[in-house]
Amino acid sequence: MGVPGLTGLVEENGSFFTELQVRDTKLVIDGSSLYHRLCFTTAADFRRGGDYGSFAAAVGEFFGSLRACRVAPFVVLDGGRGADDRKLPTLKERAAERLRAAHGLSRGEGGCLVPLLTREAFVQALGRLGVPFVQCFAEADREIAGLANRWDCPVVSLDSDFCVFDLAAGYCPLSHFQWRNVCPGEGTPGCYIPARCFSAEKFCRHFSLRNKSLLPVFAVVNGNDYVDLAALEVFFSKVRLLAGKGGKHARLQGLLHWLAQFAEPTEAVDSLLKYLKKHQREEIRELLCTSMEDYTPSDINLEDFFQNGKYKCEAASTADIPQWVLDALAKGKLPPFISDALILRSTFLHVQVENMQRPSAHTTALPIRQVIYGLLLKVSQNTEAASPSKQTSELPVVCEFDRLHKTLKKTFVQAGSLPTDFCDDHFPLDKLIEVPVSCRQMLLLETLGVKMSFLESVPSHLQLPVAVTCHWIRCSEPKVKLHQLKALLLTIVSGELHRITNDSDPTAVCAEDDAIAYNEFLKWKEKKLQNKDFDLDAAHSFCQWQCCLQMGLYLNQLLCTPLSEPELSSRLYSGTLVHRLYQELKSAPSVENLFSSSPKMTLLYQVLLNTVTS
């Protein structure tokens, strides 16, 4: 994220920072940076597909530290790609990088990869903790900067773009935000979080820049997520000489020294264009000026959202999206996947550590995605078309970016027509919220291939994961092995046991035998930690289940949650545990009786197993 090389240049010179004691303040937090940072610093194992309970615990600890220092956090999340889709080349590059990382991990090499449901777990954790958050319509950076300036408070992120924005109270990189080391403080002010704040003034002074407004020129000419201009290489071949020395950051330093001769951005751009061929100049001027505007704080009033729940944004209002969908997007009740499919008819499917010789794990969830696309894009038969020939029953098509073996591939997927019992006109997107809940529930369950009567014995908060598991068993290729299914269900039961023995949930009743079973389970976990076996085929199967759960969650959200949303943060799924249980079941089937000390958990396991195998 951000300006390539800038973080390294800034970190190399500690004099660009000022020390900060964070307490008694508002804080605007870049949600995407935060969940990536917490994921990478808490995960012990990136191969096995995510330990969402541990991740959610780290989210809780982070905001607990802020609360202890009387800090009021406001989290701002990126939304979809936006109608202009300017970042598409960068997103494709990142998807290819993730694919290389996943392939390396699948072969036992090191590396990091954000597990598939991390963002969903983060949003759920924010809701559970009561942390105010907003999901922007598109990229969040400008809105983060605008809100921080309105409140005169720092931005916390890990994105070097915030070194370029003109921020009234500065930018605190998460790498220097020591939330795990809360200091007691002396006297009345109380405890604080030690942090370091980047100073644009010190940076400009060091490189003799006369004006902070030259920083956006520096960012876009060097290249960022939106700009990568091969045409500027002629310019750089001349400018690099001005740096006077080589080294890791010669290009950046050369550019900064060159910029030092100008007082204003327009002056610098005019001078730069003289290095280029005449026929290129106007096109590149326009591109540079448009890109520099990305560093102007947005005038979207996020304060209004946090006070009144109203998110107003011109791009959203011109996108021809029903108001209830816009509201749900802003409140994080619908994911950016939905707005990308609706506006761009294009989506990215994130790769996991799976068997690259097999079809993508996302293939298993294709029937669910097709129903999502059908609900979003279905054009009613009586809609007037441009010409009679256009009035056909042809279904819309969505472009999906997914992997084919070890390469990123674009596939065109036809939106699904709704199951036969459902007339398309009964589910128009603008009126979806008004459709009776029984009809929405029936459509969800029919898509997953389950009847409600099968789920009646399952606790309500587990009905969606169980229905998704039925779909996984039915659609997975190769077929799900019994040990894999049992390992998954035992993991879900362990999450339930954790919830009733550890949570402050007043509805969770913990009997003495549950506490005994939980302690026995913890002892078993400790004993088996040395088992390092990694079964790639089993990993692929569990990846397929996560893909099905993700799309089951999205469809449930789009249908306005006719089934309760399962809590990922309550250890519904743990990749480390499910793999360990699978290995153990193969060699010692008695592990199936892991929770035998608790009649309640033994019954729950039997109910889940009987439901999905019937």
Side-chain angles (χ1 to χ4, degrees), residues 22-302:
V22 181
R23 63 181 154 208
D24 301 299
T25 181
K26 286 177 175 166
L27 213 54
V28 178
I29 299 172
D30 174 357
S32 178
S33 282
L34 178 59
Y35 77 71
H36 278 85
R37 175 78 177 174
L38 292 177
C39 173
F40 290 147
T41 53
T42 58
D45 183 353
F46 290 100
R47 285 204 296 174
R48 290 173 169 80
D51 291 328
Y52 300 113
S54 309
F55 168 72
V59 176
E61 287 164 19
F62 178 86
F63 288 104
S65 292
L66 297 189
R67 194 168 52 248
C69 301
R70 301 159 311 285
V71 172
F74 294 85
V75 176
V76 185
L77 284 156
D78 287 323
R81 284 147 54 189
D84 55 13
D85 208 13
R86 284 169 57 211
K87 242 174 132 170
L88 180 61
T90 301
L91 292 171
K92 283 160 77 172
E93 274 174 40
R94 284 192 194 148
E97 281 167 20
R98 275 196 300 269
L99 186 43
R100 285 191 289 274
H103 178 54
L105 284 161
S106 73
R107 294 168 49 154
E109 297 164 15
C112 298
L113 189 72
V114 175
L116 186 69
L117 300 171
T118 304
R119 193 184 197 279
E120 285 73 33
F122 181 66
V123 168
Q124 284 187 351
L126 294 178
R128 193 177 183 196
L129 294 165
V131 175
F133 72 95
V134 63
Q135 181 172 272
C136 297
F137 188 65
E139 177 97 358
D141 290 8
R142 293 183 63 225
E143 293 176 50
I144 289 170
L147 182 63
N149 282 351
R150 179 181 283 267
W151 284 343
D152 194 20
C153 69
V155 167
V156 173
S157 177
L158 204 54
D159 182 345
S160 58
D161 277 330
F162 290 109
C163 294
V164 179
F165 277 99
D166 188 5
L167 296 171
Y171 155 54
C172 297
L174 274 161
S175 49
H176 294 290
F177 192 78
Q178 298 179 55
W179 61 274
R180 290 192 189 275
N181 301 320
V182 173
C183 294
E186 293 175 16
T188 315
C191 59
Y192 63 88
I193 294 168
R196 301 179 88 196
C197 191
F198 172 78
S199 166
E201 287 79 7
K202 288 185 177 185
F203 184 83
C204 289
R205 223 171 18 248
H206 181 86
F207 290 105
S208 307
L209 295 187
R210 293 188 242 170
N211 195 329
K212 279 196 293 186
S213 64
L214 289 164
L215 290 177
V217 185
F218 161 70
V220 300
V221 173
N222 180 62
N224 62 10
D225 286 352
Y226 291 109
V227 182
D228 179 19
L229 289 174
L232 294 182
E233 287 309 314
V234 178
F235 162 74
F236 272 109
S237 64
K238 308 269 171 56
V239 169
R240 205 170 285 138
L241 302 174
L242 300 175
K245 57 184 177 179
K248 209 167 33 169
H249 304 297
R251 178 182 170 117
L252 291 175
Q253 289 172 338
L255 178 54
L256 287 162
H257 286 304
W258 177 80
L259 280 168
Q261 64 189 296
F262 305 108
E264 296 295 334
T266 47
E267 214 183 309
V269 171
D270 288 342
S271 177
L272 179 150
L273 293 171
K274 289 173 187 168
Y275 289 88
L276 309 182
K277 292 174 182 171
K278 282 185 179 174
H279 71 273
Q280 295 177 315
R281 290 177 187 173
E282 280 318 301
E283 185 190 346
I284 288 175
R285 180 197 298 279
E286 196 176 323
L287 185 54
L288 290 175
C289 292
T290 303
S291 300
M292 281 157 59
E293 284 170 19
D294 292 326
Y295 294 102
T296 310
S298 169
D299 54 9
I300 291 171
N301 187 357
L302 285 187

Side-chain angles (χ1 to χ4, degrees), residues 366 369-370 373 395-400 411-416:
L366 176 62
R369 290 199 304 281
Q370 286 179 300
Y373 299 151
L395 293 162
V397 167
V398 174
C399 166
E400 293 185 337
T411 309
F412 291 96
V413 169
Q414 205 167 51

Side-chain angles (χ1 to χ4, degrees), residues 439-509:
C439 297
R440 287 183 273 122
Q441 187 184 84
M442 209 184 302
L443 174 57
L444 172 66
L445 293 177
E446 181 123 347
T447 302
L448 298 173
V450 180
K451 286 189 164 53
M452 193 63 205
S453 55
F454 283 115
L455 298 175
E456 278 165 359
S457 56
V458 176
S460 62
H461 61 286
L462 294 178
Q463 287 175 341
L464 183 58
V466 168
V468 159
T469 304
C470 293
H471 173 90
W472 171 59
I473 291 168
R474 201 175 69 256
C475 297
S476 279
E477 197 55 53
K479 289 296 171 197
V480 176
K481 293 178 179 170
L482 185 59
H483 288 330
Q484 292 166 357
L485 172 62
K486 287 180 174 180
L488 179 70
L489 297 181
L490 285 167
T491 300
I492 291 173
V493 171
S494 78
E496 277 300 283
L497 188 57
H498 176 88
R499 187 179 68 83
I500 62 172
T501 50
N502 286 271
D503 276 16
S504 52
D505 180 358
T507 61
V509 181

